Amino acid sequence: MRLYVLELKRLLKTRSVSFLLIAALVLSAVMAYVPVTYIQAYKTDKSGNIEAVSGREAIKVKRADKKALQGEMTEAKIRETITDIKEVLKEYGSLSRQDIPLEVYVQKVYPHLDIIAVLEQTVVPDGKNLYTMKYSDISEEDAKNVYVAYRKNVCNLNQNPGIQKKIDQMTAQIRTPFSYYPEITTDQLDYYEIYLFLVMIFFMVIITPAFATEYQTGSDQILRCTKHGKFRLAVTKIAVVFTLIFAVFAAGTAVFSIIMRLLYGAEVFKNPLQMLGYLYYIPAFTVGKMYKVMVAGALLSLVAVGSSTLFFSAKCKTVQSALICAFAGAFVPMVIFTISNSRNILDILRCIFPTSGLAFMNSLEGELLARNFVQIGSGYYWTPYIIAIAAGIWIPVCLVVTVVSYCKKEA
């Protein structure tokens, strides 16, 4: 225990480590708040003038304006939306903000934008959207066909029968009618993933000197001659690294979660994933469940990254070479992602790196929202499962080879 405390103190007293740990916590608060600055709404003042507002005020305004739409998106609510937009289409021939008076847009179109997005993806003719829709493109009777059209479209998301069968199994658990609570989008989840990517980079910088610094200075030769200088010291260093990972991850995620809850409220986490702008996400998740899965997957991936970085530190002779190896592991999955072009072997490869769940372009969030499957043998497997299983395998493998490499290191 004394060796553990001494090693932890030594690491925390390093100026660069202290700076990066504090930066990680501050960054969590910043990343949680940034998406709010992009939210806009329209507010009518006491004089009847309409003005655009943003930030936290926009969230409050949207919540008030769309209060009547909250809860289940029933046929009656969909019919009400269709009635309002058909009145606008009949009068002005367009739903575009530039083609109709602002007060009409705010009263008849703006409150219904989320349901209009659902209509565009189900009963509105292909190629039509908010800006090109005409009066004849939609009818009040379409309200009863929205969920029928949704189920029909879900059954034709992939031309591969094997993959479509997997999609059918997953989407069968999605409940309709959908629920709706404003105001949250995938932006909030995107910024959490960006935060995790940056934290991963921070920990690579913190962890790579763990063993490599001693190799550079030659102090490892002295330590290896002491009573606890081999196996016990290696295990202690690993324990200290994991302590920092768990502590910083827990604190950063707690800050991010609290700020999100304060800004958006608790109800928005009840939103089905399908109500975040795209109906054909296949997991039967609410926003809250999606966030929990991301948190669990991120912790698993971060521990895998920490384990692999420790291995590079124990194997490489200098901190610089260990850091290069760690950074390569972070960016290679992204490179593979850009060139994979849905080729099965490359899709498998980009999912089995320790960093695959946290890579900026190839993250767990992206895979959860995508419909990516890989073929292994005669079966098809959803890529988030591959990422999680690979991370779970990397952890014990890397830790064992780290300890062995350090204990058997030659001068």
Side-chain angles (χ1 to χ4, degrees), residues 37-159:
T37 61
Y38 298 114
I39 297 176
Q40 293 187 330
Y42 294 98
K43 179 182 178 181
T44 304
D45 60 24
K46 295 180 180 180
S47 303
N49 298 317
I50 298 174
E51 60 176 343
V53 294
S54 60
R56 295 188 64 185
E57 187 176 3
I59 295 177
K60 294 178 182 178
V61 171
K62 282 193 171 187
R63 195 174 294 158
D65 289 345
K66 299 181 179 182
K67 189 174 182 180
L69 298 177
Q70 289 186 13
E72 287 191 349
M73 196 176 69
T74 60
E75 181 182 329
K77 291 178 181 178
I78 297 172
R79 187 178 293 272
E80 179 185 344
T81 294
I82 295 174
T83 299
D84 280 352
I85 64 175
K86 278 186 73 69
E87 289 179 10
V88 177
L89 287 170
K90 184 177 181 180
E91 180 72 20
Y92 301 99
S94 174
L95 297 178
S96 175
R97 165 67 190 86
Q98 288 75 24
D99 298 331
I100 59 179
L102 180 59
E103 59 271 17
V104 175
Y105 178 80
V106 171
Q107 293 176 7
K108 296 289 187 178
V109 179
Y110 176 72
H112 300 294
L113 286 178
D114 298 284
I115 294 182
I116 293 173
V118 172
L119 295 172
E120 289 174 345
Q121 298 173 67
T122 51
V123 295
V124 172
D126 290 344
K128 299 287 186 177
N129 56 41
L130 177 69
Y131 304 101
T132 60
M133 195 185 305
K134 301 300 180 185
Y135 181 81
S136 59
D137 290 332
I138 194 166
S139 165
E140 281 85 351
E141 295 306 309
D142 288 326
K144 62 185 178 183
N145 298 323
V146 166
Y147 294 113
V148 175
Y150 165 72
R151 290 296 181 187
K152 181 180 178 181
N153 292 342
V154 161
C155 293
N156 295 281
L157 291 177
N158 199 290
Q159 296 180 350

Side-chain angles (χ1 to χ4, degrees), residues 231-253:
F231 178 80
R232 185 174 175 182
L233 181 59
V235 172
T236 300
K237 285 178 178 289
I238 291 171
V240 168
V241 166
F242 281 177
T243 298
L244 291 181
I245 289 176
F246 281 106
V248 173
F249 179 83
T253 298

Side-chain angles (χ1 to χ4, degrees), residues 12 23 104 142 154 180 182 194 225 229 268 336 349 358 383 395:
L12 291 176
V104 175
D142 288 326
V154 161
Y180 171 70
I194 295 172
C225 296
V268 296
I336 297 174
L349 187 60
L358 302 174
T383 50
I395 293 169

Side-chain angles (χ1 to χ4, degrees), residues 2 38 60 64 97 133 167 196 254 274 290-291 304 352 382:
R2 184 170 178 271
Y38 298 114
K60 294 178 182 178
R97 165 67 190 86
M133 195 185 305
I167 292 175
L196 293 173
Q274 290 70 29
M290 172 75 171
Y291 183 60
I352 62 174
W382 195 31

Side-chain angles (χ1 to χ4, degrees), residues 166-187:
K166 293 289 186 181
I167 292 175
D168 290 342
Q169 292 172 354
M170 296 176 67
T171 55
Q173 302 175 45
I174 297 173
R175 295 177 57 187
T176 55
F178 297 128
S179 297
Y180 171 70
Y181 301 93
E183 169 66 29
I184 193 167
T185 66
T186 55
D187 288 347

